């Protein structure tokens, strides 16, 4: 299983916005400088989070992004689904029905194979784990100085 880099970027941006609070909207450009990321690609991730209702955006020269709801109401799975999409990770293509299996009676393929079942159970466990963790949980697990360090760093960027 592989998630896009956009998931990590989205999670870090959401966490940063949570630490900064609602003082002001933070632009894509400022977040890109913050993390040394390409602004155009980062903006695609932020727009996906906005469409999913995780972020809100304010247009204009003083515009940018804020969290749309409290960090205790945004799960890691929310961000993963917004950035990478809700599709299943494992796509069973029923290869057991090809080659030598092509001659097997169709009734033997009425149930998913053991591989598809195992992959589905693993994915469900993964999704449940991510859905059980919120941005607030990540904030609580971070070093005590993380929030203050984020605010100081932001003040230097805004200058």
């Amino acid at each position: 299983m592989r998630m896009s880099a956009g998931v990590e970027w989205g999670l870090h941006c959401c966490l940063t916005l949570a630490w900064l609070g609602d003082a002001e909207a933070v632009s894509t450009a400022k977040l890109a400088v913050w993390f040394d990321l390409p602004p155009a690609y980062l903006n695609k991730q932020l727009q996906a989070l906005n469409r999913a209702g995780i972020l809100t955006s304010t247009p204009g020269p003083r515009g940018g992004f804020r969290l749309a709801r409290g960090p205790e109401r945004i799960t890691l799975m929310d961000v993963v689904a917004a950035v990478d999409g809700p599709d299943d990770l494992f796509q069973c293509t029923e290869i057991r029905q090809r080659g030598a299996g092509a001659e097997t009676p169709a009734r033997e393929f009425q149930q998913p194979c053991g591989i598809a079942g195992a992959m589905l159970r693993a994915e469900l466990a993964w999704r449940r784990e991510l859905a059980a963790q919120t941005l607030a949980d990540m904030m609580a697990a971070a070093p005590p100085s993380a929030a203050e360090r984020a605010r100081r760093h932001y003040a230097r960027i805004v200058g």
Side-chain angles (χ1 to χ4, degrees):
M1 164 184 48
R2 185 187 278 301
M3 287 182 272
S4 72
V7 170
E8 179 185 6
W9 298 6
L11 285 166
H12 277 289
C13 287
C14 286
L15 195 55
T16 298
L17 293 171
W19 276 321
L20 294 176
D22 282 335
E24 65 181 77
V26 182
S27 70
T28 301
K30 289 174 186 169
L31 288 166
V33 166
W34 187 305
F35 293 112
D36 191 25
L37 296 172
Y41 185 70
L42 178 61
N43 192 56
K44 288 180 185 177
Q45 314 319 310
L46 297 173
Q47 290 300 330
L49 294 167
N50 184 56
R51 283 189 300 276
I54 295 168
L55 300 181
T56 60
S57 64
T58 305
R62 298 186 59 72
F65 295 92
R66 291 185 173 96
L67 290 181
R69 53 189 190 261
E72 70 285 349
R73 294 183 49 226
I74 300 171
T75 70
L76 301 185
M77 191 66 232
D78 292 336
V79 176
V80 170
V83 174
D84 276 358
D87 296 338
D88 292 341
L89 299 173
F90 180 77
Q91 301 295 319
C92 180
T93 60
E94 280 295 345
I95 66 168
R96 65 189 176 148
Q97 296 184 41
R98 299 181 196 162
E103 297 173 15
T104 306
R107 68 180 175 275
E108 292 195 25
F109 300 117
Q110 289 177 343
Q111 298 294 324
C113 73
I115 293 169
M119 297 302 251
L120 176 61
R121 287 189 302 276
E123 182 172 344
L124 289 174
W126 174 77
R127 288 179 183 274
R128 274 193 299 270
E129 183 65 24
L130 291 176
Q133 294 182 59
T134 65
L135 287 179
D137 296 330
M138 297 296 100
M139 295 169 79
S145 61
E148 181 55 35
R149 201 169 47 249
R151 288 190 277 282
R152 279 195 316 266
H153 186 72
Y154 182 69
R156 282 195 302 268
I157 289 173
V158 182

